[in-house]
Amino acid sequence: MATVQPHRVRPGRGIELGLLALALAIGIAAYALVGIGVTGEVPADVVGYGVGMTVLGLGLHAVLRWRAPYADPVIMPAVVALNGIGLAMIYRLDLAEDASFATRQLGWTAVSVVLAGAVIVLLRDHRTLRRYTYTAMIAGLVLVVLPLVPGLGAQINGANIWIRLGPFSLQPAELGKIALAVFFAGYLVTNRDTLALAGPKVLGLQLPRIRDLGPIIIAWAASLAVLVSERDLGTSLLFFGLFVAMLYVATERLSWVLIGLSMFVVGAGVAASAFPHVGARFDVWLHALDHDIFNRSPGGSGQLVRGLFGLASGGLFGTGWGAGRPDLVPYAESDFIFASLGEELGLTGVLAILLVYLVLAERGMRTAIGVRDGFGKLLAGGLAFVVAFQCFVVVGGITRIIPLTGLTTPFLAYGGSSLLANWIIVALLLRISDDARRPPGVVQGHVAATPPHGSPAPVQIVGSAGGPARPSRSAREAEAPQASDTRPTERIDEMRGDDA
Amino acid sequence: MNTPLRRLSLVVVTMFLVLMVGTSWVQFVQADSLNNDSRNVRTLYREFGNPRGPIIVAGTPIAWSEPVDDAFGYQRIYAPGALYSSVTGFYSIVNGRTGIESAENDVLTGSSDSLFLSRVQDLITGKQPQGSSVELTLNPAAQQAAWDALGDQVGAVVALDPSTGAVLALVSTPGFDPNSLATHDIAAARTAYSDLNAAPNDPLVDKALKGKTYPPGSTFKLVTAAAALESGQYSADSLIDAPDELALPQTSATLRNYGGASCGSGGQTTLSDAIRVSCNTAFGKLGMDVGADAIRDQAKKFGFDESLSIPMSVTKSYFPPNEDLDPAKLAKSAIGQQDVRVTPMQMAMISAGIANGGEVMTPYTVATVRTADLDVISQTKPSVFRRAISAQTASALTDMMVSVVDSGTGTSAKIPGVRVAGKTGTAETTSDQSPHAWFTGFAPADDPKVAVAVIVEHGGSTGNEATGGKVAAPIAKAVMQAVLGS
């Protein structure tokens, strides 16, 4: 254990303000350049747009100063930059296609930022969420199956992942992933020892007991059910990836990951051979440029290949805002916005965007490592991973690294549910990062007055932890900051292995 | 849980590295092949998105790009419709491009290397790059005259300026309307193309330059006569055998004159008269006497067996090799039958060479290329293609050709007040089809301004009764008159 060095922790709000100014400048300049590139003049509403985005950004910044002064200063500006670049590209495609997606996306951005602020204000301590572990499970499952409810679900572009409420179409699975992350975090922090320590060891791999496989089998089955019934390879991959990642973080058992991956591969393989629409995706992936597959309808590779053409024409430096033809790619503003950006900003532009995502995800991971309670670690780690993984699945699909699925690029792509859900994820990460970065002794408002004992006491579960204690574990856990005197619950959480 | 979180962070970094490599792979490594994929419409859109330069004849654009409000930005328009179709070709989204549109694509789009400096200027000044204009050598009156004179008949006309090689008229009938192929209505463009492709008499084939080549018939006698004169053993007044029937060695067949007529008296005639009345038996015999090598060499000097680009490519004309020529076949080849094949352009070059004192000039259709600012980028300088015959031979042949028009087979090419030189041809094809009617010549004979070649496939409207003199000579006359009148 390292000696705790007393040093002044900088809340980072000043840094955040500077980065926010940069992020806003990028977004607003992009918006103005789109107008210049397409019509030859600065768009008339750039001032209104700029003021709107600035008010939203500064508003959230103020909320952070007020309620989460130690929150990570990089996360929010990174997201504002991505959101702004996405808006500029959606506006650019509006000009090309005579559509009005940008206005709606701007509306959704406002709603999302306000909601994110509300989450930060209302959720004083992320551990409160642990109380709702099973509520979250039910909410998550309901959200996932909602599109299957007759009369509510709507099939759009061949996937049953939408519900229609009056004029709005929502993808409930986007919100479902947050609920499931909360459930996984709560469930796993309670049951991690059982999953980690029980079971035979074969070839150096600690295998789980059959009965402990229950939850992973349920998650696997649920993912496949989503895949088959809602024709949504992306969401099922996302949920399953989230679950496996969190399971690994909770148990440190590589065997879980291997079992999980092999189950998914087998399941997907069976699904590919049993269901034509899944099989078609594999054909498209492997033989995208074949003439027959390019022209096949439905289920041809036309969209994918047109996206590749767009990326290729962008080359290293891109055509510049408004100077390419991203509108030649179907769904250029949603599923394929990455290809649109690749065409106009070039390889350099999209590498910069990917780096912003990477910074965002790593800041989330850093938050998970820094926070002192197991639930927070799992939740932050899971949420950060899910954002990164979603990027990987979408961009990997567009660049033909993996089969194409129907997910949206977080913050960039057009889509209200996606924007809303991802901004809530950001709010949760900010909330947890405030906890992670707050120096010991600094107590925030009511949190100290309401000790987290109110949550379902993990202490009761301690007894159920089976298996032998492994001395190495305490050494490893000792890496976690131990300055948690004010947090008895978490202390027990972390020390459980030793207690058993 | 920090150890697995750190490892998970590494997994996240790895995922993004994979994405970065994958994106670089597409945008850098694969970019070229994707950009050149025939299904990638972006290249075409980029071309269409810039104003393409006009094609200009005598100061008037005959093809230009007009801004339109659709995905492509500019619509190519061909003003006189089909009249210039054999020269301009077409420029289409779905059907590609042909003719000048294809051959001069680089300068029309402005992407030619010769435009590098002006592109750099555009880049610095922020001006939208524009294609250059291509000015053709065509004479609108001659083009119109050729088009009108051919009318509904299937055939081709080529007119050259003998002293420079500039193409004055280039017509192939039936023509086609390039506008129907250049339309941005993709379905309509496709239909138009497949209709034209399936239409009788191949409107999409430029009969003046390529596609099929034709037996030249008696017009080839100019080459045989040139070979004889160049050999030094013959002059215009040399007496040569001209039997009513020429027995072809090693066969039971005989060669006869058109309509079974006899030429000359006593079975002999002068070379000059043999040309004037287009005596088959005399030239059959002369061919065998002069020999295959001499005729082939002479043909090559006029341009046979050589591909040209003017800048559209011209199919090679053909004279058979020795191993395919027994004496009988040689006799038939010497009168332009058997396997001899020519393009109308080649025939025009022969007349132009004779008109130009024996020197064949390289034919060309592009006079000047100018930037959008009218700066001249390139101007075609006339160049000598080859000296085909001596000036003496040229002069002798000219006199013979004048007699063809004055009092021989080509009298219908006579132009009042102008000495016209010419040679007719009636080329037998298959036994069940009428012969092709040919005429080639130039005018005025003493100071040639225009050389012309005309073919009317299968006798045109005259059918079986057709001869070069009846069908093709009037067309040549119209074209020559148009040039001389302007």
Side-chain angles (χ1 to χ4, degrees), chain B residues 4-23:
Chain B
L5 277 172
R6 289 206 171 89
R7 290 197 189 125
L8 193 61
S9 303
L10 278 179
V11 170
V12 168
V13 172
T14 311
M15 288 192 311
F16 277 90
L17 282 177
V18 168
L19 289 184
M20 288 172 180
V21 170
T23 312

PDB file of all heavy atoms in Angstrom, chain B residues 4-23:
ATOM      1  N   PRO B   4      -8.675  -5.565 -12.605  1.00  0.00           N
ATOM      2  CA  PRO B   4      -9.483  -5.799 -13.817  1.00  0.00           C
ATOM      3  C   PRO B   4      -9.925  -4.503 -14.486  1.00  0.00           C
ATOM      4  O   PRO B   4     -10.052  -4.460 -15.709  1.00  0.00           O
ATOM      5  CB  PRO B   4     -10.685  -6.587 -13.313  1.00  0.00           C
ATOM      6  CG  PRO B   4     -10.711  -6.383 -11.854  1.00  0.00           C
ATOM      7  CD  PRO B   4      -9.304  -6.166 -11.417  1.00  0.00           C
ATOM      8  N   LEU B   5     -10.136  -3.451 -13.693  1.00  0.00           N
ATOM      9  CA  LEU B   5     -10.510  -2.174 -14.323  1.00  0.00           C
ATOM     10  C   LEU B   5      -9.371  -1.650 -15.187  1.00  0.00           C
ATOM     11  O   LEU B   5      -9.592  -1.136 -16.283  1.00  0.00           O
ATOM     12  CB  LEU B   5     -10.875  -1.148 -13.247  1.00  0.00           C
ATOM     13  CG  LEU B   5     -12.302  -1.239 -12.712  1.00  0.00           C
ATOM     14  CD1 LEU B   5     -12.489  -0.298 -11.518  1.00  0.00           C
ATOM     15  CD2 LEU B   5     -13.328  -0.920 -13.790  1.00  0.00           C
ATOM     16  N   ARG B   6      -8.137  -1.816 -14.690  1.00  0.00           N
ATOM     17  CA  ARG B   6      -6.997  -1.375 -15.495  1.00  0.00           C
ATOM     18  C   ARG B   6      -6.899  -2.193 -16.775  1.00  0.00           C
ATOM     19  O   ARG B   6      -6.622  -1.674 -17.842  1.00  0.00           O
ATOM     20  CB  ARG B   6      -5.701  -1.513 -14.680  1.00  0.00           C
ATOM     21  CG  ARG B   6      -5.623  -0.491 -13.576  1.00  0.00           C
ATOM     22  CD  ARG B   6      -4.184  -0.187 -13.185  1.00  0.00           C
ATOM     23  NE  ARG B   6      -4.201   0.947 -12.272  1.00  0.00           N
ATOM     24  CZ  ARG B   6      -4.326   0.817 -10.942  1.00  0.00           C
ATOM     25  NH1 ARG B   6      -4.393  -0.391 -10.388  1.00  0.00           N
ATOM     26  NH2 ARG B   6      -4.385   1.886 -10.172  1.00  0.00           N
ATOM     27  N   ARG B   7      -7.129  -3.499 -16.597  1.00  0.00           N
ATOM     28  CA  ARG B   7      -7.076  -4.344 -17.799  1.00  0.00           C
ATOM     29  C   ARG B   7      -8.194  -3.975 -18.768  1.00  0.00           C
ATOM     30  O   ARG B   7      -8.003  -3.941 -19.984  1.00  0.00           O
ATOM     31  CB  ARG B   7      -7.200  -5.829 -17.414  1.00  0.00           C
ATOM     32  CG  ARG B   7      -5.978  -6.336 -16.697  1.00  0.00           C
ATOM     33  CD  ARG B   7      -5.938  -7.854 -16.691  1.00  0.00           C
ATOM     34  NE  ARG B   7      -4.882  -8.306 -15.810  1.00  0.00           N
ATOM     35  CZ  ARG B   7      -5.073  -9.159 -14.794  1.00  0.00           C
ATOM     36  NH1 ARG B   7      -6.279  -9.660 -14.566  1.00  0.00           N
ATOM     37  NH2 ARG B   7      -4.061  -9.524 -14.040  1.00  0.00           N
ATOM     38  N   LEU B   8      -9.350  -3.675 -18.208  1.00  0.00           N
ATOM     39  CA  LEU B   8     -10.470  -3.283 -19.064  1.00  0.00           C
ATOM     40  C   LEU B   8     -10.138  -1.976 -19.786  1.00  0.00           C
ATOM     41  O   LEU B   8     -10.483  -1.793 -20.960  1.00  0.00           O
ATOM     42  CB  LEU B   8     -11.747  -3.126 -18.223  1.00  0.00           C
ATOM     43  CG  LEU B   8     -13.058  -3.028 -19.009  1.00  0.00           C
ATOM     44  CD1 LEU B   8     -13.296  -4.289 -19.832  1.00  0.00           C
ATOM     45  CD2 LEU B   8     -14.243  -2.819 -18.057  1.00  0.00           C
ATOM     46  N   SER B   9      -9.429  -1.073 -19.073  1.00  0.00           N
ATOM     47  CA  SER B   9      -9.001   0.167 -19.729  1.00  0.00           C
ATOM     48  C   SER B   9      -8.111  -0.144 -20.914  1.00  0.00           C
ATOM     49  O   SER B   9      -8.209   0.495 -21.969  1.00  0.00           O
ATOM     50  CB  SER B   9      -8.219   1.050 -18.753  1.00  0.00           C
ATOM     51  OG  SER B   9      -9.011   1.320 -17.637  1.00  0.00           O
ATOM     52  N   LEU B  10      -7.245  -1.135 -20.712  1.00  0.00           N
ATOM     53  CA  LEU B  10      -6.367  -1.528 -21.824  1.00  0.00           C
ATOM     54  C   LEU B  10      -7.182  -2.093 -22.987  1.00  0.00           C
ATOM     55  O   LEU B  10      -6.878  -1.852 -24.144  1.00  0.00           O
ATOM     56  CB  LEU B  10      -5.355  -2.571 -21.344  1.00  0.00           C
ATOM     57  CG  LEU B  10      -4.139  -1.995 -20.629  1.00  0.00           C
ATOM     58  CD1 LEU B  10      -3.214  -3.125 -20.172  1.00  0.00           C
ATOM     59  CD2 LEU B  10      -3.377  -1.056 -21.567  1.00  0.00           C
ATOM     60  N   VAL B  11      -8.227  -2.859 -22.613  1.00  0.00           N
ATOM     61  CA  VAL B  11      -9.102  -3.401 -23.660  1.00  0.00           C
ATOM     62  C   VAL B  11      -9.731  -2.252 -24.448  1.00  0.00           C
ATOM     63  O   VAL B  11      -9.802  -2.281 -25.678  1.00  0.00           O
ATOM     64  CB  VAL B  11     -10.192  -4.308 -23.040  1.00  0.00           C
ATOM     65  CG1 VAL B  11     -11.245  -4.666 -24.082  1.00  0.00           C
ATOM     66  CG2 VAL B  11      -9.562  -5.563 -22.462  1.00  0.00           C
ATOM     67  N   VAL B  12     -10.163  -1.218 -23.704  1.00  0.00           N
ATOM     68  CA  VAL B  12     -10.783  -0.056 -24.373  1.00  0.00           C
ATOM     69  C   VAL B  12      -9.772   0.610 -25.304  1.00  0.00           C
ATOM     70  O   VAL B  12     -10.078   0.916 -26.456  1.00  0.00           O
ATOM     71  CB  VAL B  12     -11.324   0.939 -23.321  1.00  0.00           C
ATOM     72  CG1 VAL B  12     -11.693   2.268 -23.977  1.00  0.00           C
ATOM     73  CG2 VAL B  12     -12.526   0.335 -22.609  1.00  0.00           C
ATOM     74  N   VAL B  13      -8.540   0.797 -24.808  1.00  0.00           N
ATOM     75  CA  VAL B  13      -7.500   1.397 -25.655  1.00  0.00           C
ATOM     76  C   VAL B  13      -7.295   0.544 -26.902  1.00  0.00           C
ATOM     77  O   VAL B  13      -7.211   1.044 -28.025  1.00  0.00           O
ATOM     78  CB  VAL B  13      -6.178   1.554 -24.871  1.00  0.00           C
ATOM     79  CG1 VAL B  13      -5.063   1.978 -25.804  1.00  0.00           C
ATOM     80  CG2 VAL B  13      -6.348   2.563 -23.754  1.00  0.00           C
ATOM     81  N   THR B  14      -7.247  -0.792 -26.684  1.00  0.00           N
ATOM     82  CA  THR B  14      -7.043  -1.700 -27.818  1.00  0.00           C
ATOM     83  C   THR B  14      -8.178  -1.569 -28.832  1.00  0.00           C
ATOM     84  O   THR B  14      -7.938  -1.523 -30.049  1.00  0.00           O
ATOM     85  CB  THR B  14      -6.968  -3.158 -27.320  1.00  0.00           C
ATOM     86  OG1 THR B  14      -6.061  -3.199 -26.228  1.00  0.00           O
ATOM     87  CG2 THR B  14      -6.509  -4.078 -28.418  1.00  0.00           C
ATOM     88  N   MET B  15      -9.416  -1.500 -28.320  1.00  0.00           N
ATOM     89  CA  MET B  15     -10.553  -1.363 -29.245  1.00  0.00           C
ATOM     90  C   MET B  15     -10.384  -0.121 -30.113  1.00  0.00           C
ATOM     91  O   MET B  15     -10.621  -0.158 -31.317  1.00  0.00           O
ATOM     92  CB  MET B  15     -11.873  -1.273 -28.461  1.00  0.00           C
ATOM     93  CG  MET B  15     -12.303  -2.576 -27.823  1.00  0.00           C
ATOM     94  SD  MET B  15     -14.011  -2.571 -27.203  1.00  0.00           S
ATOM     95  CE  MET B  15     -14.103  -1.077 -26.273  1.00  0.00           C
ATOM     96  N   PHE B  16      -9.970   0.974 -29.479  1.00  0.00           N
ATOM     97  CA  PHE B  16      -9.835   2.209 -30.257  1.00  0.00           C
ATOM     98  C   PHE B  16      -8.650   2.141 -31.223  1.00  0.00           C
ATOM     99  O   PHE B  16      -8.716   2.683 -32.318  1.00  0.00           O
ATOM    100  CB  PHE B  16      -9.757   3.424 -29.339  1.00  0.00           C
ATOM    101  CG  PHE B  16     -11.123   3.893 -28.910  1.00  0.00           C
ATOM    102  CD1 PHE B  16     -11.718   3.405 -27.760  1.00  0.00           C
ATOM    103  CD2 PHE B  16     -11.837   4.775 -29.701  1.00  0.00           C
ATOM    104  CE1 PHE B  16     -12.989   3.801 -27.399  1.00  0.00           C
ATOM    105  CE2 PHE B  16     -13.110   5.177 -29.350  1.00  0.00           C
ATOM    106  CZ  PHE B  16     -13.695   4.697 -28.191  1.00  0.00           C
ATOM    107  N   LEU B  17      -7.586   1.441 -30.794  1.00  0.00           N
ATOM    108  CA  LEU B  17      -6.470   1.264 -31.730  1.00  0.00           C
ATOM    109  C   LEU B  17      -6.928   0.479 -32.951  1.00  0.00           C
ATOM    110  O   LEU B  17      -6.596   0.814 -34.085  1.00  0.00           O
ATOM    111  CB  LEU B  17      -5.308   0.542 -31.037  1.00  0.00           C
ATOM    112  CG  LEU B  17      -4.458   1.427 -30.128  1.00  0.00           C
ATOM    113  CD1 LEU B  17      -3.389   0.584 -29.432  1.00  0.00           C
ATOM    114  CD2 LEU B  17      -3.806   2.546 -30.924  1.00  0.00           C
ATOM    115  N   VAL B  18      -7.724  -0.567 -32.689  1.00  0.00           N
ATOM    116  CA  VAL B  18      -8.247  -1.365 -33.803  1.00  0.00           C
ATOM    117  C   VAL B  18      -9.088  -0.477 -34.721  1.00  0.00           C
ATOM    118  O   VAL B  18      -8.967  -0.535 -35.949  1.00  0.00           O
ATOM    119  CB  VAL B  18      -9.072  -2.557 -33.272  1.00  0.00           C
ATOM    120  CG1 VAL B  18      -9.853  -3.215 -34.401  1.00  0.00           C
ATOM    121  CG2 VAL B  18      -8.163  -3.571 -32.601  1.00  0.00           C
ATOM    122  N   LEU B  19      -9.927   0.372 -34.125  1.00  0.00           N
ATOM    123  CA  LEU B  19     -10.760   1.267 -34.935  1.00  0.00           C
ATOM    124  C   LEU B  19      -9.896   2.218 -35.755  1.00  0.00           C
ATOM    125  O   LEU B  19     -10.178   2.487 -36.914  1.00  0.00           O
ATOM    126  CB  LEU B  19     -11.693   2.086 -34.052  1.00  0.00           C
ATOM    127  CG  LEU B  19     -12.846   1.340 -33.381  1.00  0.00           C
ATOM    128  CD1 LEU B  19     -13.726   2.323 -32.631  1.00  0.00           C
ATOM    129  CD2 LEU B  19     -13.664   0.574 -34.404  1.00  0.00           C
ATOM    130  N   MET B  20      -8.843   2.720 -35.141  1.00  0.00           N
ATOM    131  CA  MET B  20      -7.981   3.668 -35.853  1.00  0.00           C
ATOM    132  C   MET B  20      -7.269   2.980 -37.011  1.00  0.00           C
ATOM    133  O   MET B  20      -7.175   3.537 -38.106  1.00  0.00           O
ATOM    134  CB  MET B  20      -6.970   4.282 -34.895  1.00  0.00           C
ATOM    135  CG  MET B  20      -7.619   5.270 -33.937  1.00  0.00           C
ATOM    136  SD  MET B  20      -6.485   5.816 -32.659  1.00  0.00           S
ATOM    137  CE  MET B  20      -7.561   6.930 -31.756  1.00  0.00           C
ATOM    138  N   VAL B  21      -6.801   1.767 -36.756  1.00  0.00           N
ATOM    139  CA  VAL B  21      -6.151   1.022 -37.837  1.00  0.00           C
ATOM    140  C   VAL B  21      -7.164   0.727 -38.939  1.00  0.00           C
ATOM    141  O   VAL B  21      -6.892   0.922 -40.129  1.00  0.00           O
ATOM    142  CB  VAL B  21      -5.521  -0.283 -37.300  1.00  0.00           C
ATOM    143  CG1 VAL B  21      -5.060  -1.169 -38.452  1.00  0.00           C
ATOM    144  CG2 VAL B  21      -4.353   0.038 -36.378  1.00  0.00           C
ATOM    145  N   GLY B  22      -8.363   0.295 -38.514  1.00  0.00           N
ATOM    146  CA  GLY B  22      -9.400  -0.036 -39.502  1.00  0.00           C
ATOM    147  C   GLY B  22      -9.769   1.167 -40.348  1.00  0.00           C
ATOM    148  O   GLY B  22      -9.903   1.077 -41.573  1.00  0.00           O
ATOM    149  N   THR B  23      -9.922   2.332 -39.709  1.00  0.00           N
ATOM    150  CA  THR B  23     -10.288   3.536 -40.448  1.00  0.00           C
ATOM    151  C   THR B  23      -9.161   3.945 -41.393  1.00  0.00           C
ATOM    152  O   THR B  23      -9.398   4.292 -42.543  1.00  0.00           O
ATOM    153  CB  THR B  23     -10.590   4.680 -39.464  1.00  0.00           C
ATOM    154  OG1 THR B  23     -11.477   4.177 -38.462  1.00  0.00           O
ATOM    155  CG2 THR B  23     -11.252   5.832 -40.159  1.00  0.00           C
TER     156      THR B  23
END
